[in-house]
Amino acid sequence: MLGGCIFGGSPFSKLFNNVREKLSLAYYATARTERFKSTMFISCGIETDKYQAAYDEILVQYNKMLSGDIEDSEIENSKLYLYNRFNSMKDGLRTMEDYYLSQSIMNNKGEIDDLIRMTEKVTKEEIVDAFRKTKIDTVYFLKGNGVA
């Protein structure tokens, strides 16, 4: 989860900062993890003519994750981001229901505070190791036909 946050799951992630902000290749660029399926989905809103440049930059950022080109500040900011997100789950009945239902489905008895403690302990090496276990599987591009 921390690696996903650094890569594309926060407003200061590699995808957001590089694909969207620095290079203006996308209206949005995110990555989200699906914990039940151990998958990550990368999503970008781009103009048709920027497809290849956006795809190439996403791969550049993905390879940075694989090679360990991760700043300490990216790790710390992502830990704080997740810490706040996890703590805010305690503020709403719906978010707590969702969390504990998913925990039950996964046969995991961990509390939200356990998740916070585990996230605080994650190292850069563990993030890189997790990313090295990933592979690109499916790439698709949805494009309109120009008719409203």
Side-chain angles (χ1 to χ4, degrees):
M1 287 174 30
L2 186 59
C5 186
I6 294 166
F7 180 54
S10 68
F12 44 81
S13 67
K14 289 183 178 299
L15 293 182
F16 184 87
N17 281 327
N18 294 287
V19 177
R20 184 183 187 279
E21 293 295 306
K22 283 184 188 171
L23 300 175
S24 299
L25 296 173
Y27 303 107
Y28 65 89
T30 64
R32 70 174 177 81
T33 55
E34 172 57 59
R35 56 188 264 203
F36 292 119
K37 295 184 179 186
S38 297
T39 57
M40 179 181 292
F41 296 93
I42 300 165
S43 179
C44 293
I46 60 173
E47 294 177 16
T48 303
D49 62 336
K50 294 184 178 180
Y51 170 79
Q52 193 60 53
Y55 179 81
D56 292 345
E57 185 60 27
I58 291 166
L59 288 182
V60 166
Q61 299 309 315
Y62 177 72
N63 286 320
K64 285 184 177 187
M65 295 298 294
L66 294 175
S67 70
D69 187 359
I70 303 169
E71 302 292 325
D72 289 341
S73 62
E74 291 175 304
I75 295 170
E76 290 308 311
N77 287 337
S78 294
K79 284 182 178 183
L80 288 171
Y81 181 81
L82 289 175
Y83 173 81
N84 287 329
R85 198 169 101 196
F86 297 152
N87 266 323
S88 71
M89 289 190 313
K90 299 176 193 176
D91 294 335
L93 182 58
R94 175 126 189 158
T95 53
M96 287 182 62
E97 285 175 342
D98 288 346
Y99 176 77
Y100 288 109
L101 176 61
S102 67
Q103 290 295 88
S104 177
I105 291 168
M106 295 179 68
N107 199 26
N108 185 334
K109 296 188 183 348
E111 300 287 330
I112 294 171
D113 287 336
D114 298 329
L115 188 57
I116 292 169
R117 281 190 290 279
M118 290 186 322
T119 302
E120 289 171 349
K121 294 178 184 179
V122 174
T123 66
K124 179 178 177 177
E125 293 74 23
E126 290 171 320
I127 296 166
V128 172
D129 184 52
F131 258 80
R132 287 184 178 159
K133 293 175 184 171
T134 66
K135 66 180 171 69
I136 298 172
D137 183 86
T138 305
V139 177
Y140 64 92
F141 180 50
L142 299 176
K143 171 175 124 171
N145 61 8
V147 178

